[in-house]
Short mmCIF file of all heavy atoms in Angstrom, two decimals:
data_model
loop_
_atom_site.label_atom_id
_atom_site.label_comp_id
_atom_site.label_asym_id
_atom_site.label_seq_id
_atom_site.Cartn_x
_atom_site.Cartn_y
_atom_site.Cartn_z
N ASN A 5 23.88 25.29 18.14
CA ASN A 5 24.26 26.67 18.38
C ASN A 5 23.56 27.22 19.61
O ASN A 5 24.02 28.08 20.38
CB ASN A 5 23.78 27.55 17.17
CG ASN A 5 24.48 27.13 15.95
OD1 ASN A 5 25.78 26.79 16.11
ND2 ASN A 5 24.06 27.28 14.77
N LEU A 6 22.28 26.65 19.84
CA LEU A 6 21.59 27.15 21.21
C LEU A 6 22.37 26.69 22.42
O LEU A 6 22.65 27.49 23.38
CB LEU A 6 20.16 26.56 21.19
CG LEU A 6 19.17 27.02 20.19
CD1 LEU A 6 17.89 26.23 20.27
CD2 LEU A 6 18.81 28.58 20.49
N GLU A 7 22.89 25.34 22.38
CA GLU A 7 23.56 24.88 23.54
C GLU A 7 24.96 25.56 23.71
O GLU A 7 25.41 25.80 24.80
CB GLU A 7 23.69 23.36 23.39
CG GLU A 7 22.49 22.52 23.57
CD GLU A 7 22.58 21.05 23.40
OE1 GLU A 7 23.79 20.65 22.96
OE2 GLU A 7 21.64 20.28 23.75
N LYS A 8 25.49 25.87 22.54
CA LYS A 8 26.87 26.60 22.63
C LYS A 8 26.69 27.94 23.33
O LYS A 8 27.53 28.43 24.03
CB LYS A 8 27.43 26.74 21.18
CG LYS A 8 28.09 25.49 20.70
CD LYS A 8 28.65 25.66 19.31
CE LYS A 8 29.35 24.46 18.74
NZ LYS A 8 30.00 24.66 17.46
N LYS A 9 25.70 28.74 22.93
CA LYS A 9 25.38 29.99 23.57
C LYS A 9 25.05 29.90 25.10
O LYS A 9 25.45 30.89 25.77
CB LYS A 9 24.23 30.74 22.90
CG LYS A 9 24.54 31.10 21.45
CD LYS A 9 23.58 32.14 20.92
CE LYS A 9 23.74 33.45 21.60
NZ LYS A 9 22.85 34.57 21.04
N MET A 10 24.46 28.74 25.52
CA MET A 10 24.25 28.58 26.89
C MET A 10 25.35 27.92 27.66
O MET A 10 25.29 27.91 28.87
CB MET A 10 22.81 27.79 27.10
CG MET A 10 21.63 28.57 26.69
SD MET A 10 20.11 27.64 26.87
CE MET A 10 20.11 26.65 25.44
N GLY A 11 26.31 27.35 26.95
CA GLY A 11 27.52 26.87 27.59
C GLY A 11 27.43 25.39 28.07
O GLY A 11 28.38 25.00 28.87
N PHE A 12 26.58 24.58 27.50
CA PHE A 12 26.52 23.24 27.92
C PHE A 12 26.47 22.21 26.71
O PHE A 12 26.01 21.11 26.82
CB PHE A 12 25.45 22.79 28.88
CG PHE A 12 24.06 23.15 28.46
CD1 PHE A 12 23.35 22.22 27.70
CD2 PHE A 12 23.41 24.44 28.68
CE1 PHE A 12 22.04 22.37 27.20
CE2 PHE A 12 22.18 24.63 28.20
CZ PHE A 12 21.51 23.73 27.48
N TYR A 13 27.12 22.70 25.64
CA TYR A 13 27.06 21.84 24.46
C TYR A 13 28.09 20.80 24.54
O TYR A 13 29.32 20.95 24.89
CB TYR A 13 27.45 22.70 23.22
CG TYR A 13 27.61 21.92 21.99
CD1 TYR A 13 26.50 21.19 21.34
CD2 TYR A 13 28.93 21.68 21.37
CE1 TYR A 13 26.71 20.51 20.20
CE2 TYR A 13 28.99 20.98 20.22
CZ TYR A 13 27.97 20.44 19.73
OH TYR A 13 28.21 19.62 18.52
N ILE A 14 27.63 19.47 24.27
CA ILE A 14 28.53 18.28 24.29
C ILE A 14 28.43 17.73 22.77
O ILE A 14 27.23 17.33 22.49
CB ILE A 14 28.23 17.27 25.41
CG1 ILE A 14 28.25 17.94 26.76
CG2 ILE A 14 28.94 16.10 25.23
CD1 ILE A 14 27.83 17.08 27.92
N PRO A 15 29.43 17.51 22.11
CA PRO A 15 29.31 16.85 20.75
C PRO A 15 28.72 15.49 20.93
O PRO A 15 29.05 14.72 21.70
CB PRO A 15 30.71 16.84 20.17
CG PRO A 15 31.42 17.90 21.06
CD PRO A 15 30.80 17.86 22.34
N PRO A 16 27.75 15.13 19.99
CA PRO A 16 27.16 13.76 20.07
C PRO A 16 28.12 12.70 19.47
O PRO A 16 29.05 13.01 18.80
CB PRO A 16 25.88 13.90 19.11
CG PRO A 16 26.34 14.98 18.15
CD PRO A 16 27.17 15.96 18.92
N ALA A 17 28.05 11.54 20.08
CA ALA A 17 28.88 10.43 19.75
C ALA A 17 28.71 10.10 18.19
O ALA A 17 27.51 10.17 17.74
CB ALA A 17 28.71 9.20 20.57
N PRO A 18 29.70 9.89 17.51
CA PRO A 18 29.49 9.55 15.89
C PRO A 18 28.81 8.27 15.77
O PRO A 18 28.92 7.35 16.55
CB PRO A 18 30.95 9.44 15.46
CG PRO A 18 31.75 9.06 16.71
CD PRO A 18 31.12 9.74 17.85
N ILE A 19 28.02 8.25 14.81
CA ILE A 19 27.21 7.03 14.52
C ILE A 19 27.99 6.13 13.66
O ILE A 19 28.54 6.41 12.57
CB ILE A 19 25.82 7.55 13.69
CG1 ILE A 19 24.94 8.42 14.64
CG2 ILE A 19 25.06 6.16 13.36
CD1 ILE A 19 23.79 8.80 13.86
N SER A 20 28.18 4.91 14.26
CA SER A 20 28.99 3.84 13.55
C SER A 20 28.03 2.86 12.97
O SER A 20 27.26 2.17 13.61
CB SER A 20 29.96 3.20 14.41
OG SER A 20 29.38 2.60 15.55
N THR A 21 28.17 2.69 11.65
CA THR A 21 27.31 1.65 10.98
C THR A 21 28.32 0.61 10.51
O THR A 21 29.32 0.90 9.86
CB THR A 21 26.59 2.39 9.72
OG1 THR A 21 27.62 2.94 8.84
CG2 THR A 21 25.69 3.45 10.23
N PRO A 22 28.02 -0.68 10.97
CA PRO A 22 28.84 -1.83 10.46
C PRO A 22 28.85 -1.94 8.95
O PRO A 22 27.86 -1.82 8.31
CB PRO A 22 28.35 -2.94 11.15
CG PRO A 22 26.80 -2.55 11.47
CD PRO A 22 26.81 -1.05 11.66
N GLN A 23 30.01 -2.15 8.40
CA GLN A 23 30.10 -2.40 6.97
C GLN A 23 29.75 -3.79 6.67
O GLN A 23 30.33 -4.82 7.15
CB GLN A 23 31.62 -2.18 6.44
CG GLN A 23 32.04 -0.71 6.63
CD GLN A 23 31.43 0.12 5.62
OE1 GLN A 23 31.10 -0.34 4.57
NE2 GLN A 23 31.55 1.53 5.85
N ARG A 24 28.72 -4.01 5.78
CA ARG A 24 28.32 -5.27 5.39
C ARG A 24 29.08 -5.72 4.15
O ARG A 24 29.15 -5.00 3.15
CB ARG A 24 26.85 -5.20 4.95
CG ARG A 24 25.97 -5.04 6.23
CD ARG A 24 24.48 -5.24 5.80
NE ARG A 24 23.56 -5.06 6.96
CZ ARG A 24 22.29 -5.27 6.90
NH1 ARG A 24 21.73 -5.46 5.74
NH2 ARG A 24 21.57 -5.14 7.99
N LYS A 25 29.68 -6.94 4.26
CA LYS A 25 30.34 -7.41 3.16
C LYS A 25 29.44 -8.02 2.04
O LYS A 25 28.60 -8.92 2.41
CB LYS A 25 31.30 -8.54 3.63
CG LYS A 25 32.24 -9.10 2.56
CD LYS A 25 33.21 -10.12 3.19
CE LYS A 25 34.23 -10.59 2.02
NZ LYS A 25 35.19 -11.63 2.64
N ARG A 26 29.58 -7.38 0.90
CA ARG A 26 28.66 -7.91 -0.18
C ARG A 26 29.25 -9.18 -0.86
O ARG A 26 30.35 -9.27 -1.28
CB ARG A 26 28.44 -6.79 -1.25
CG ARG A 26 27.84 -5.55 -0.66
CD ARG A 26 27.66 -4.55 -1.72
NE ARG A 26 26.78 -4.96 -2.72
CZ ARG A 26 26.40 -4.26 -3.88
NH1 ARG A 26 26.99 -3.18 -3.99
NH2 ARG A 26 25.57 -4.83 -4.79
N VAL A 27 28.41 -10.15 -0.82
CA VAL A 27 28.73 -11.42 -1.49
C VAL A 27 28.08 -11.49 -2.80
O VAL A 27 26.83 -11.45 -2.96
CB VAL A 27 28.42 -12.60 -0.62
CG1 VAL A 27 28.79 -13.98 -1.30
CG2 VAL A 27 29.07 -12.57 0.73
N GLN A 28 28.97 -11.60 -3.95
CA GLN A 28 28.30 -11.63 -5.27
C GLN A 28 28.00 -13.01 -5.73
O GLN A 28 28.91 -13.73 -5.80
CB GLN A 28 29.30 -10.86 -6.22
CG GLN A 28 28.73 -10.65 -7.67
CD GLN A 28 29.68 -9.87 -8.41
OE1 GLN A 28 30.75 -9.65 -8.07
NE2 GLN A 28 29.27 -9.40 -9.60
N SER A 29 26.75 -13.21 -5.82
CA SER A 29 26.42 -14.57 -6.30
C SER A 29 26.43 -14.69 -7.75
O SER A 29 26.42 -13.84 -8.48
CB SER A 29 24.95 -14.86 -5.93
OG SER A 29 24.10 -13.85 -6.48
N PRO A 30 26.88 -15.88 -8.24
CA PRO A 30 27.02 -16.18 -9.71
C PRO A 30 25.73 -15.95 -10.40
O PRO A 30 24.62 -16.23 -10.00
CB PRO A 30 27.52 -17.58 -9.84
CG PRO A 30 26.98 -18.26 -8.54
CD PRO A 30 27.03 -17.12 -7.48
N PHE A 31 25.84 -15.46 -11.66
CA PHE A 31 24.70 -15.12 -12.47
C PHE A 31 24.06 -16.56 -13.06
O PHE A 31 24.88 -17.27 -13.59
CB PHE A 31 25.06 -14.19 -13.55
CG PHE A 31 23.89 -13.81 -14.47
CD1 PHE A 31 23.06 -12.85 -14.10
CD2 PHE A 31 23.58 -14.46 -15.69
CE1 PHE A 31 22.00 -12.42 -14.85
CE2 PHE A 31 22.51 -14.09 -16.39
CZ PHE A 31 21.64 -13.14 -16.03
N ILE A 32 22.80 -16.72 -12.79
CA ILE A 32 22.20 -17.89 -13.37
C ILE A 32 20.99 -17.50 -14.20
O ILE A 32 20.13 -16.69 -13.83
CB ILE A 32 21.71 -18.82 -12.20
CG1 ILE A 32 22.78 -19.23 -11.25
CG2 ILE A 32 20.99 -20.07 -12.75
CD1 ILE A 32 22.42 -19.97 -10.09
N THR A 33 20.99 -17.99 -15.49
CA THR A 33 19.81 -17.62 -16.44
C THR A 33 18.58 -18.42 -15.96
O THR A 33 18.60 -19.46 -15.16
CB THR A 33 20.23 -18.04 -17.75
OG1 THR A 33 20.53 -19.51 -17.93
CG2 THR A 33 21.51 -17.30 -18.28
N GLU A 34 17.52 -18.13 -16.56
CA GLU A 34 16.31 -18.79 -16.27
C GLU A 34 16.26 -20.20 -16.84
O GLU A 34 15.78 -21.11 -16.33
CB GLU A 34 15.12 -18.05 -16.89
CG GLU A 34 14.76 -16.70 -16.32
CD GLU A 34 14.28 -16.91 -14.96
OE1 GLU A 34 13.54 -17.94 -14.59
OE2 GLU A 34 14.41 -16.04 -13.96
N PHE A 35 17.04 -20.38 -17.92
CA PHE A 35 17.17 -21.70 -18.58
C PHE A 35 17.92 -22.64 -17.72
O PHE A 35 17.55 -23.76 -17.42
CB PHE A 35 17.75 -21.63 -19.99
CG PHE A 35 18.16 -23.07 -20.47
CD1 PHE A 35 17.15 -23.85 -20.95
CD2 PHE A 35 19.44 -23.36 -20.55
CE1 PHE A 35 17.51 -25.08 -21.46
CE2 PHE A 35 19.79 -24.65 -20.97
CZ PHE A 35 18.86 -25.52 -21.47
N GLU A 36 19.10 -22.13 -17.02
CA GLU A 36 19.96 -22.97 -16.20
C GLU A 36 19.21 -23.28 -14.93
O GLU A 36 19.30 -24.42 -14.48
CB GLU A 36 21.20 -22.17 -15.84
CG GLU A 36 22.08 -21.98 -17.01
CD GLU A 36 23.19 -21.09 -16.79
OE1 GLU A 36 23.08 -20.33 -15.81
OE2 GLU A 36 24.16 -21.02 -17.53
N ARG A 37 18.32 -22.42 -14.48
CA ARG A 37 17.54 -22.66 -13.32
C ARG A 37 16.54 -23.74 -13.61
O ARG A 37 16.23 -24.62 -12.83
CB ARG A 37 16.82 -21.41 -12.76
CG ARG A 37 16.20 -21.56 -11.45
CD ARG A 37 15.55 -20.35 -10.97
NE ARG A 37 16.55 -19.30 -10.65
CZ ARG A 37 16.75 -18.20 -11.31
NH1 ARG A 37 16.12 -18.03 -12.42
NH2 ARG A 37 17.79 -17.40 -11.00
N PHE A 38 15.86 -23.62 -14.79
CA PHE A 38 14.85 -24.69 -15.14
C PHE A 38 15.42 -25.98 -15.42
O PHE A 38 14.93 -26.99 -15.07
CB PHE A 38 14.14 -24.24 -16.45
CG PHE A 38 13.19 -25.28 -16.94
CD1 PHE A 38 11.85 -25.36 -16.37
CD2 PHE A 38 13.44 -26.11 -17.88
CE1 PHE A 38 10.90 -26.23 -16.79
CE2 PHE A 38 12.65 -27.05 -18.44
CZ PHE A 38 11.27 -27.15 -17.88
N GLU A 39 16.69 -25.98 -15.98
CA GLU A 39 17.33 -27.21 -16.31
C GLU A 39 17.69 -28.00 -15.03
O GLU A 39 17.47 -29.22 -15.02
CB GLU A 39 18.62 -26.88 -17.00
CG GLU A 39 19.40 -28.13 -17.54
CD GLU A 39 20.62 -27.75 -18.29
OE1 GLU A 39 21.26 -26.72 -17.98
OE2 GLU A 39 21.16 -28.42 -19.29
#
């Protein structure tokens, strides 16, 4: 609003966050890990 009143407001560039692909690992019980 301050910059708009003074006449030099420039909208900031949008922040792009890369989408991380979630890889679902198979469920392993403690017994299977020990085995």
